[in-house]
Amino acid sequence: MTKREELRLLPWSGPDGKPCYLSTDDHDSYMSRLADNTESVQLGLAAELLEHARDVLGDSDSGPEELRLLAAGLTGALRDTLRVATSRGERLR
């Protein structure tokens, strides 16, 4: 059985919200590259959302609904970013 330390946390959850892991020695496998690309997209979207947040928060006319949508988007982006950071941190060990 593979030890948890040897598994890569993937940047997406399973259908029930539980973490997904990849077991491979091939860092250039299809699934490894898919995970790398997904992480890159997630981090790029988080950066774009952060720019949007600066605009919304700088606009005194932003209403409660716009702020609520922004908070929801930022929550998802933070979740994804933390998962990427955790995955990369575990692979540094």
Side-chain angles (χ1 to χ4, degrees):
M1 181 159 178
T2 305
K3 295 182 208 169
R4 188 170 187 277
E5 299 85 40
E6 296 172 357
L7 300 176
R8 176 184 178 168
L9 176 64
L10 293 172
W12 55 80
S13 300
D16 54 359
K18 293 183 180 177
C20 292
Y21 293 92
L22 174 64
S23 175
T24 183
D25 292 333
D26 184 1
H27 300 293
D28 197 39
S29 70
Y30 174 78
M31 287 302 295
S32 293
R33 285 183 283 122
L34 179 62
D36 290 342
N37 290 337
T38 301
E39 287 179 353
S40 180
V41 168
Q42 288 173 329
L43 294 176
L45 290 172
E48 289 176 20
L49 188 56
L50 182 58
E51 272 303 309
H52 177 65
R54 287 187 187 117
D55 294 341
V56 170
L57 295 173
D59 182 359
S60 60
D61 292 332
S62 296
E65 185 60 27
E66 189 169 11
L67 293 172
R68 195 171 3 267
L69 289 172
L70 176 61
L74 288 170
T75 300
L78 180 58
R79 178 201 61 228
D80 292 344
T81 301
L82 284 172
R83 187 179 294 130
V84 170
T86 300
S87 176
R88 291 181 180 185
E90 288 174 354
R91 286 183 280 150
L92 289 176
R93 293 182 207 164

